Amino acid sequence: MHRRGVGAGAIAKKKLAEAKYKERGTVLAEDQIVQLVKAFGLRCWEWVTSIMSWAYRSLKCV
């Protein structure tokens, strides 16, 4: 039994699926970057405020 080659429709369908996965991957990557920026920004702000409060307490004691 001889198997036929891949048709033009199958090739187009495969390319469409690849494009959808690539687009979805880009969207997910952008979402992750936004979450990292928010998390890093909050942590950085918490660190700065804790350092400032420590400095204020240290200067107040002197």
Side-chain angles (χ1 to χ4, degrees):
M1 196 152 117
H2 184 68
R3 184 177 164 110
R4 297 167 120 193
V6 178
I11 293 172
K13 187 176 179 181
K14 183 178 178 183
K15 286 184 180 183
L16 180 64
E18 287 175 355
K20 285 182 180 180
Y21 280 118
K22 186 175 181 180
E23 180 182 342
R24 182 66 181 151
T26 304
V27 169
L28 289 175
E30 289 172 352
D31 289 344
Q32 287 178 346
I33 289 173
V34 168
Q35 289 176 356
L36 286 173
V37 167
K38 285 181 181 178
F40 181 73
L42 290 176
R43 288 188 184 131
C44 189
W45 179 252
E46 289 172 1
W47 183 78
V48 168
T49 54
S50 68
I51 294 294
M52 289 174 65
S53 65
W54 173 81
Y56 178 75
R57 287 192 311 266
S58 297
L59 290 175
K60 195 174 179 183
C61 293
V62 172

